[in-house]
Amino acid sequence: MESQEEKPIIYTMENKPIVTCAGDQNLFTSLYHSLAQQLPREPMEWRRSYGRPPKMIHLEANFVQFKEDLLPKEGNKALLTFPFLHIFWTDCCDTEIYKASVKEDIIRWHNTLKTYNTADWLIVVIESDAKKKNKTNILPRTSIVDKIRNDFCNKQSDRCVVISDPLKDSSRSQESWSAFLTKLRTLLLMSFTKNLGKFEDDMRTLREKRTEPGWSFCEYFMVQEELAFVFEMLQQFEDALVQYDELDALFTQYVVNFGAGDGANWLSSFCQPVRSWNGLILRKPIDMEKRDLIQRSQASLLDLRSYLFSRQCTLLIFLQRPWEVTQRALELLHNCVQELRLLEVSVLQGALHCWVFLSCLEVLQRIEGCCDRVQLDSNSSHTVGLWTYATEKLKCLGYLCGLVSENGPNSEDLNRTVDILAGLGAERPETANSLQSPYKKLKEALSSVEAFEKHYLELSHTAMEMYKTIDRLRSARLVGKSLAEFYMRKGDPQKADTFLQDSLKTYLAEGWTLPVTHTRKQIAECQKQLGQTENYLQTSSLLASDTNLTYEERKHFCQEILNFANRQSDNQVQKVVLGMSSFAQLQQLLFSPASAVVHVGGLLALELSLHSNMPVPVHLEQLAANVYFSIERNSVRKTGDLLGKQRVGSSSNGIVHFQAESVIGSLPRTSPPTLELYEMHDRSPSDNALNSSGVVCKNVHLLLRRQESVSSIETPSGVAIEDSAQILKINNVSLMPGMNTIQFTALVSCFFNVLYLYKLPG
């Protein structure tokens, strides 16, 4: 039973073109099975109007006994109940019997058809050798047929057909039966084409009246859906899908116009508050409950959208395009949320989250029911979006119902949960026996903190694994960040830090500045809760110098470092060494003398230009520069070469410029390509009015290209401070935000020259 629920049966339309049968019912009954089986075997070429290409179709028919009630009344536009052909059956071979009863029966039948302006009919005469042997006063076969043709078919002789012993297995019988089937197919197709064309013309006329007061979308919906049903019963699923797509586009356009201030009166019925949010229903061929609401103009926006998509889904599966179902489903769910806002529909808080969650799982289970595991695994790129969207909505429900917190839900959260579950109603019969139905999953997930965590983690890890399988690492990291936020709300920063560090590596490698900043803030909070002092201070130094943050935020992280330094001034138990690059950038050196060659007793002067990245002045008790000297032979030449490579100005001015060093854990030096943007305007072809405008990026493929190399981790290695021959020091220095100039001097006691200037220690 469970396997049958998980793999719903693909239904076909049970409707077939109706053909009525009058005359000898016993005669027709004896031929019914052969007729029903053999009629659709041979295809017919269907030529349609308006230049549409011809198609080969297999005609079937629903043969029913003739009744006057079946004939269409004036104004009745239903095609599914329309009888396309009427057949009178007789095997009369006796002139007296024909005159006494059969002729009168045909006259009554024929007059009834005339009354309803029905011209699609056929008289079938069955010739039987066995019956002729029992009659001695019969005329030749042509006499009865000729009489019928003279009485009823003067101008349409082809409307009378003779079949010779159809139940016999002779060549003559088979030939006449085959000719009859061909005639039946031809007449049925002619009637079908004629009546369908008239129906389409009436439908277009109705659609052209849509600007008139009193026009009803629901009424028009039922008319065009009738056309879709007809195409579906002919197994022309593509044409049927076009009808629903046109209805979809028409309704969407009206909603967009409503948002722009041009609303139609009939839209008011779709603005009623949403009272049910039980998700899409895709396990029925036709959801008659919602169709009835549409027919009575009582459907809500979600009712209409749900029914419309369920029909599109059925047709797409018939067309063996299940992956298009997932694509359309994702668009539908996002668009419905926006349409509810445009129409200003009142919705209970959390109701839309439920509807989207249930709908995502319903679509996924519907696709699983018509695809095998190999197909599902190889097409993860089509389904992963629905998994992710379901995960996001379940997370929103968890936050709303107090299920993602250290203390659990309070009384207000519990009342909100009850209200949300009330809108789901009772579980549908088609999923009642399924243990994994979306309905049961949602109710279980909202039942307790533990159940919610189980379902949320299951969905999240499923989505992450799918993204990794299809090499969409950015999306996988995004799901990881969402998991990190979940663990932080649950008071588990250790697990959160793991996901955040993975995300940060990706953002650093690809140069995404804003995600880097946001992720670092989250990492800093994790490190603070975990008591990782050195890592926290390093991250704080990066955030304090991050211009993507506000001044107050940068000031906060800078103050965190200064507060730690003040606490450690009296207690030297813990010593933290931070890299200077996040605090300040070395801009240039100015040596005096310019050659940087100093003799015994000479004075070496060094002017240091630093750019402080901190948002506030930072007071330093001491700033030291470790300078290395060389007394090797030819060291003067080496110093000149070194300075010559880095010197920008004249060779005698003693200035050395430095390129900006990348901060530890900062973005890559290679800047991303420049944005190439251009405007896009969509104007109406009729009056050149502006419909929409936007900005399009022409080189998005370069901007979003994933780099193979990943930058190093956030936590830096300690800065090594080595002994040197000379340390230039200055006490009580305040580094102001921006450029700072600092003077160092030293008296030289022996002949040497500067060979290398070490980094300023943090």
Side-chain angles (χ1 to χ4, degrees):
M1 180 65 73
E2 180 64 21
S3 60
Q4 293 178 358
E5 288 296 332
E6 291 303 317
K7 294 192 175 184
I9 299 173
I10 297 178
Y11 293 89
T12 58
M13 280 294 297
E14 296 180 357
N15 303 83
K16 300 173 185 178
I18 295 177
V19 176
T20 68
C21 298
D24 192 337
Q25 294 299 317
N26 292 329
L27 175 63
F28 166 71
T29 302
S30 65
L31 301 173
Y32 171 75
H33 292 291
S34 299
L35 187 59
Q37 290 177 1
Q38 297 179 32
L39 179 64
R41 286 184 180 176
E42 295 294 329
M44 294 288 290
E45 185 181 44
W46 185 25
R47 295 185 176 274
R48 302 178 60 193
S49 57
Y50 299 103
R52 287 172 286 192
K55 295 185 177 181
M56 301 302 293
I57 63 173
H58 293 264
L59 282 173
E60 294 184 87
N62 181 19
F63 296 94
V64 298
Q65 185 176 356
F66 175 80
K67 293 179 181 179
E68 186 175 350
D69 294 340
L70 294 175
L71 298 176
K73 307 299 186 293
E74 186 67 28
N76 186 357
K77 299 179 181 180
L79 279 178
L80 293 179
T81 57
F82 183 88
F84 290 96
L85 187 62
H86 305 274
I87 304 177
F88 190 94
W89 298 82
T90 181
D91 62 352
C92 178
C93 58
D94 187 286
T95 306
E96 297 302 324
I97 296 176
Y98 172 73
K99 291 179 180 180
S101 61
V102 175
K103 182 178 179 180
E104 292 298 324
D105 292 340
I106 297 177
I107 289 175
R108 283 194 299 270
W109 171 74
H110 197 255
N111 288 338
T112 304
L113 296 180
K114 282 184 178 180
T115 304
Y116 289 91
N117 298 317
T118 300
D120 300 305
W121 51 270
L122 179 67
I123 300 175
V124 179
V125 180
I126 305 297
E127 178 191 69
S128 173
D129 292 338
K131 196 166 186 179
K132 288 197 311 184
K133 290 179 181 179
N134 297 329
K135 300 290 183 179
T136 58
N137 59 341
I138 62 171
L139 295 174
R141 174 180 56 84
T142 54
S143 297
I144 294 295
V145 174
D146 287 344
K147 282 183 175 293
I148 293 176
R149 285 175 177 167
N150 290 332
D151 293 337
F152 304 100
C153 312
N154 288 329
K155 298 180 181 179
Q156 295 175 300
S157 60
D158 61 333
R159 293 302 176 107
C160 182
V161 178
V162 180
I163 307 177
S164 299
D165 279 326
L167 299 180
K168 280 191 175 182
D169 190 16
S170 65
S171 60
R172 182 167 171 263
S173 298
Q174 291 179 0
E175 184 179 347
S176 65
W177 180 255
S178 178
F180 165 69
L181 289 176
T182 302
K183 174 63 70 174
L184 181 58
R185 294 187 190 107
T186 302
L187 291 176
L188 185 57
L189 187 59
M190 287 173 56
S191 173
F192 189 85
T193 304
K194 178 184 67 176
N195 288 284
L196 184 62
K198 185 178 183 302
F199 183 89
E200 288 182 299
D201 291 339
D202 293 340
M203 186 187 75
R204 292 188 190 93
T205 302
L206 180 60
R207 184 170 57 202
E208 290 169 358
K209 295 179 180 179
R210 63 186 180 276
T211 56
E212 298 179 3
W215 188 85
S216 171
F217 175 81
C218 291
E219 178 184 345
Y220 176 75
F221 182 97
M222 304 309 294
V223 172
Q224 188 157 3
E225 187 183 36
E226 187 88 11
L227 181 61
F229 284 156
V230 171
F231 286 126
E232 188 175 355
M233 76 180 180
L234 292 177
Q235 298 187 359
Q236 300 302 304
F237 302 121
E238 190 69 53
D239 290 320
L241 180 62
V242 168
Q243 308 311 311
Y244 287 109
D245 288 347
E246 288 181 357
L247 288 168
D248 191 341
L250 180 62
F251 185 80
T252 300
Q253 188 58 55
Y254 271 104
V255 174
V256 171
N257 293 345
F258 183 91
D262 182 17
N265 293 332
W266 55 264
L267 265 176
S268 59
S269 64
F270 294 98
C271 297
Q272 57 184 297
V274 175
R275 306 191 185 281
S276 175
W277 40 88
N278 54 359
L280 297 173
I281 301 176
L282 305 180
R283 309 188 194 213
K284 294 180 179 178
I286 301 177
D287 185 352
M288 296 306 298
E289 182 181 349
K290 285 187 171 55
R291 188 174 189 271
D292 184 57
L293 290 174
I294 297 172
Q295 191 169 18
R296 292 186 283 113
S297 299
Q298 295 177 359
S300 67
L301 177 74
L302 292 185
D303 290 333
L304 175 69
R305 284 301 189 186
S306 297
Y307 178 77
L308 190 54
F309 181 78
S310 70
R311 298 297 302 131
Q312 291 170 320
C313 172
T314 300
L315 294 169
L316 286 169
I317 291 178
F318 285 154
L319 291 167
Q320 298 182 353
R321 287 149 55 182
W323 312 120
E324 190 174 335
V325 174
T326 60
Q327 175 189 342
R328 286 178 176 234
L330 201 55
E331 294 174 359
L332 167 78
L333 299 178
H334 284 289
N335 290 340
C336 277
V337 174
Q338 299 304 319
E339 287 178 347
L340 288 169
R341 292 174 182 170
L342 282 175
L343 296 179
E344 300 177 355
V345 177
S346 175
V347 185
L348 178 73
Q349 188 180 15
L352 274 184
H353 300 324
C354 280
W355 185 78
V356 172
F357 176 80
L358 292 170
S359 298
C360 286
L361 295 191
E362 178 74 3
V363 174
L364 289 169
Q365 291 190 5
R366 186 69 178 91
I367 297 303
E368 289 174 2
C370 61
C371 299
D372 56 36
R373 177 50 55 186
V374 175
Q375 289 176 306
L376 292 171
D377 292 341
S378 60
N379 288 276
S380 299
S381 59
H382 296 97
T383 58
V384 67
L386 290 172
W387 285 108
T388 305
Y389 203 17
T391 305
E392 292 175 3
K393 291 307 173 184
L394 184 60
K395 178 183 175 183
C396 292
L397 285 171
Y399 286 179
L400 192 62
C401 298
L403 298 171
V404 188
S405 63
E406 297 183 40
N407 301 323
N410 54 33
S411 59
E412 183 180 351
D413 297 329
L414 294 175
N415 291 333
R416 187 180 295 115
T417 304
V418 171
D419 292 339
I420 290 174
L421 293 177
L424 301 181
E427 186 171 10
R428 298 187 290 266
E430 58 269 20
T431 62
N433 295 326
S434 173
L435 299 177
Q436 297 296 319
S437 68
Y439 181 90
K440 289 187 177 68
K441 283 191 173 184
L442 180 58
K443 291 200 73 171
E444 182 183 352
L446 298 183
S447 64
S448 67
V449 174
E450 294 76 15
F452 174 82
E453 182 173 353
K454 169 195 167 187
H455 285 283
Y456 176 69
L457 293 181
E458 178 183 343
L459 288 173
S460 297
H461 287 294
T462 299
M464 284 184 66
E465 290 304 317
M466 284 187 172
Y467 279 131
K468 291 177 181 178
T469 301
I470 60 178
D471 291 329
R472 289 178 57 181
L473 296 183
R474 299 187 190 100
S475 299
R477 299 299 187 225
L478 197 59
V479 177
K481 278 199 68 179
S482 182
L483 267 175
E485 294 170 2
F486 169 79
Y487 282 122
M488 287 296 293
R489 291 282 293 265
K490 297 286 289 183
D492 192 351
Q494 185 66 55
K495 292 181 180 178
D497 185 68
T498 303
F499 290 108
L500 292 172
Q501 292 290 355
D502 289 339
S503 298
L504 183 61
K505 291 177 184 178
T506 301
Y507 299 150
L508 286 172
E510 300 192 354
W512 291 8
T513 58
L514 290 176
V516 164
T517 302
H518 183 260
T519 307
R520 276 181 177 153
K521 287 177 62 177
Q522 294 174 304
I523 290 176
E525 182 63 29
C526 290
Q527 293 169 340
K528 187 175 183 178
Q529 292 187 22
L530 292 171
Q532 298 174 353
T533 304
E534 185 170 352
N535 291 340
Y536 174 67
L537 293 177
Q538 175 61 40
T539 305
S540 296
S541 68
L542 294 169
L543 291 170
S545 61
D546 194 331
T547 56
N548 289 322
L549 295 177
T550 63
Y551 171 78
E552 292 299 326
E553 289 176 313
R554 294 177 61 196
K555 182 179 177 181
H556 164 74
F557 288 108
C558 182
Q559 196 61 46
E560 288 286 285
I561 301 171
L562 298 179
N563 292 342
F564 176 82
N566 293 333
R567 289 197 302 268
Q568 298 301 314
S569 59
D570 299 329
N571 183 8
Q572 299 298 327
V573 175
Q574 184 177 9
K575 181 178 181 181
V576 177
V577 180
L578 302 178
M580 187 70 176
S581 56
S582 58
F583 286 92
Q585 296 292 327
L586 182 60
Q587 300 291 318
Q588 71 175 29
L589 301 177
L590 174 60
F591 288 98
S592 180
S595 63
V597 178
V598 185
H599 296 272
V600 178
L603 190 66
L604 173 65
L606 174 64
E607 182 179 291
L608 195 67
S609 295
L610 281 176
H611 183 279
S612 175
N613 298 325
M614 295 295 103
V616 296
V618 178
H619 180 74
L620 304 178
E621 294 182 2
Q622 185 182 82
L623 182 64
N626 289 23
V627 183
Y628 289 81
F629 299 97
S630 173
I631 57 175
E632 297 177 2
R633 184 175 299 175
N634 300 325
S635 60
V636 174
R637 180 176 59 80
K638 293 179 181 179
T639 301
D641 292 342
L642 179 63
L643 294 177
K645 291 178 181 178
Q646 300 196 39
R647 187 176 295 124
V648 175
S650 167
S651 59
S652 60
N653 60 10
I655 300 177
V656 179
H657 295 276
F658 290 86
Q659 295 180 351
E661 298 183 17
S662 61
V663 180
I664 296 173
S666 66
L667 303 178
R669 294 184 181 182
T670 56
S671 59
T674 306
L675 281 172
E676 297 182 16
L677 304 176
Y678 68 92
E679 298 179 11
M680 181 188 69
H681 301 285
D682 179 25
R683 296 186 178 275
S684 173
S686 57
D687 55 1
N688 201 34
L690 183 64
N691 293 331
S692 63
S693 62
V695 179
V696 178
C697 178
K698 294 195 294 185
N699 62 335
V700 66
H701 61 290
L702 297 176
L703 294 166
L704 298 182
R705 181 174 55 192
R706 185 170 65 87
Q707 300 181 10
E708 294 300 328
S709 60
V710 178
S711 186
S712 60
I713 58 175
E714 182 83 345
T715 306
S717 57
V719 180
I721 302 179
E722 302 176 2
D723 295 333
S724 60
Q726 182 70 37
I727 300 179
L728 304 182
K729 299 179 181 178
I730 186 170
N731 298 325
N732 297 322
V733 178
S734 291
L735 290 181
M736 307 301 293
M739 288 300 299
N740 295 267
T741 302
I742 303 169
Q743 298 284 345
F744 292 96
T745 57
L747 185 65
V748 181
S749 58
C750 62
F751 175 79
F752 52 86
N753 63 287
V754 178
L755 179 64
Y756 177 71
L757 181 70
Y758 186 69
K759 280 185 184 178
L760 294 175

